[in-house]
Amino acid sequence: MDDNKRAIRDMVVALNEIPGIGWHAIKNAIEHKLWTKDRTKPEAWMAAGFRDDRAEKAANLFRQPFWNTGDDKGWIRAESVKAGIGMDRLLTPFDSGYPFELKHIAQPPWVLYAKGRSELLERPSVAIVGTRMPTAYGRHTADKLAQELSEAGITVVSGLARGIDSRAHEAALKGNGSTIAVLPTPIDTCYPPQNLSLFRNIGEQGLLVSETPLGTKLHPGQFHQRNRIIAGLACATIVVEGARRSGSLITAKFALDWNREIFAVPGPINSPKSEGPNVLIREERARIITGIDDIFDQLLWLRDAAKPWGKQGGHTVGNKEKDERPQLPEEAKLLALLRDRPLSIDELHGLTAIPFGHLNSLLLNLCIKRTIELQPGSIYRIL
């Protein structure tokens, strides 16, 4: 990176850390070439359109001693270093590692804080989003789509929220494509707290990204900003389940605005959880998806682009393959019932009339195949 570009980059990183200085203010600073001027004087900032109080904040920041250390690695806060964010994990549009897809949205983030496998930002990716309270059908669909995409070498992007987001991340970690979690919080903070274990796993096996500076308190607007990055990173967005006014449809709108492909999982007409995807399909803003081949059929380049990271020799790194022996008709009937919701063996007996002894054998066989699992209370659910 040449000295001029480094100076711009350092200025952008520093301004991004100042509360109250937004996207347009940073754009003005770049357009006025403030990295070439005396930034220790508020007048220089006011000439670029900064308000008096923010001009003083910016000038005061550039009076700090770290600007005169001559460190050729650029400026970075000590707090970022403590959080494991080095200069190679702090990306601006002036860095070669900044995601190509993200550059081509309205108001791309000036700074991306990243923790984990930053090389995932250079791979083809698809977003999976949906409700925080999915049905069994939604959970199963998110699992299936995310794992198959990851096994095909495609990175799955989502927002670490409860429900569909979490299921998509967990399933994607089983394949070579892995996953990127876009956070509404700073990179060192997990939200929601219940996802702390998943947050840590993604930080080690996948990638966490955020545009929120360290120390920023969570406020509602950050979820909206997070959703735009999810849509911006991906070449396509899949909406699994969500109400008409859900955050997943906000993500879909961002994707539509930027001419990205939208896919929606159709659901029952009487399910409020499927209202959002069904509306997208009905209004022809999204294509129906029943499997990942629907994405490959629409984006003809995607399969070849993902091949270097797809399954190798029929096996996926870090994932135990399921037993692929053919299902018996009675097994298929049980799976159809369990896709709607978890059920006990008594409930399955009542719905199928299969004798208990034979039913127990069928369920045991499905557990061995890793198609279902037994939960406390003798409840069976789809994996």
Side-chain angles (χ1 to χ4, degrees):
M1 184 182 296
D2 61 44
D3 291 343
N4 189 55
K5 189 172 285 188
R6 183 181 297 282
I8 302 172
R9 181 191 194 277
D10 282 353
M11 181 183 73
V12 167
V13 172
L15 290 176
N16 191 69
E17 302 277 345
I18 302 175
I21 293 183
W23 194 92
H24 289 288
I26 295 176
K27 181 172 182 284
N28 287 342
I30 295 170
E31 290 177 345
H32 283 77
K33 298 183 177 180
L34 286 182
W35 70 92
T36 66
K37 300 175 183 177
D38 186 353
R39 293 167 294 181
T40 64
K41 295 181 178 178
E43 292 78 12
W45 299 97
M46 286 188 284
F50 280 58
R51 288 186 350 207
D52 292 2
D53 58 333
R54 291 172 186 171
E56 183 57 46
K57 284 182 180 179
N60 183 59
L61 179 66
F62 282 83
R63 295 186 194 116
Q64 303 303 314
F66 48 69
W67 287 102
N68 301 310
T69 61
D71 186 350
D72 63 358
K73 293 182 180 179
W75 179 77
I76 186 166
R77 283 172 54 185
E79 290 89 338
S80 296
V81 175
K82 290 177 184 177
I85 307 165
M87 291 302 287
D88 60 330
R89 304 294 176 86
L90 196 157
L91 300 169
T92 75
F94 307 100
D95 293 287
S96 59
Y98 193 87
F100 174 82
E101 296 280 4
L102 203 56
K103 282 185 179 180
H104 295 82
I105 70 170
Q107 298 186 16
W110 287 118
V111 178
L112 268 186
Y113 302 87
K115 188 172 184 181
R117 298 171 56 196
S118 53
E119 73 271 13
L120 295 178
L121 293 170
E122 300 174 13
R123 299 185 184 182
S125 61
V126 168
I128 297 180
V129 295
T131 178
R132 287 170 171 77
M133 299 180 66
T135 64
Y137 165 72
R139 293 193 298 271
H140 172 75
T141 303
D143 289 349
K144 184 174 187 295
L145 292 173
Q147 184 166 343
E148 290 181 359
L149 284 168
S150 182
E151 288 177 346
I154 295 168
T155 300
V156 174
V157 182
S158 200
L160 199 68
R162 292 187 296 270
I164 295 298
D165 289 24
S166 298
R167 299 298 292 238
H169 287 308
E170 289 168 355
L173 284 172
K174 299 175 182 178
N176 289 345
S178 196
T179 190
I180 297 173
V182 185
L183 310 179
T185 55
I187 200 73
D188 62 345
T189 306
C190 176
Y191 184 88
Q194 297 91 330
N195 276 349
L196 183 58
S197 177
L198 179 59
F199 171 85
R200 289 171 174 165
N201 287 340
I202 295 173
E204 294 172 359
Q205 303 173 45
L207 181 68
L208 303 167
V209 299
S210 174
E211 68 172 332
T212 306
L214 296 177
T216 304
K217 292 183 178 180
L218 183 64
H219 61 82
Q222 288 164 221
F223 294 99
H224 189 81
Q225 298 290 72
R226 185 264 318 264
N227 291 346
R228 101 185 190 288
I229 296 177
I230 293 172
L233 284 172
C235 64
T237 294
I238 302 171
V239 181
V240 177
E241 285 185 322
R244 185 189 288 262
R245 298 183 182 277
S246 68
S248 56
L249 264 67
I250 293 173
T251 306
K253 184 180 184 305
F254 280 127
L256 286 168
D257 289 345
W258 302 323
N259 297 315
R260 310 287 170 86
E261 291 292 338
I262 304 292
F263 296 87
V265 175
I269 59 174
N270 60 347
S271 171
K273 301 291 173 65
S274 290
E275 185 179 13
N278 288 345
V279 166
L280 288 173
I281 294 167
R282 186 181 71 233
E283 296 178 353
E284 299 184 348
R285 290 185 288 160
R287 301 175 187 275
I288 290 177
I289 182 170
T290 57
I292 67 169
D293 283 342
D294 294 327
I295 297 177
F296 292 132
D297 290 344
Q298 185 61 31
L299 301 174
L300 299 178
W301 56 271
L302 185 58
R303 193 187 297 273
D304 286 339
K307 268 184 181 177
W309 303 285
K311 278 188 175 182
Q312 299 174 2
H315 296 275
T316 301
V317 175
N319 182 40
K320 294 181 180 178
E321 285 201 69
K322 290 185 179 181
D323 187 332
E324 297 297 340
R325 286 174 289 179
Q327 293 174 1
L328 300 172
E330 290 169 319
E331 290 178 343
K333 181 187 290 188
L334 292 172
L335 290 175
L337 291 169
L338 291 172
R339 284 193 183 100
D340 182 54
R341 61 188 176 90
L343 295 166
S344 69
I345 189 170
D346 290 332
E347 290 170 320
L348 288 167
H349 171 68
L351 291 168
T352 64
I354 298 173
F356 267 109
H358 185 40
L359 176 60
N360 193 56
S361 296
L362 290 170
L363 292 170
L364 178 60
N365 194 38
L366 288 172
C367 287
I368 293 170
K369 290 181 178 182
R370 296 184 64 251
T371 306
I372 66 172
E373 70 174 0
L374 177 61
Q375 296 183 309
S378 297
I379 303 294
Y380 291 89
R381 78 170 185 90
I382 290 279
L383 279 173

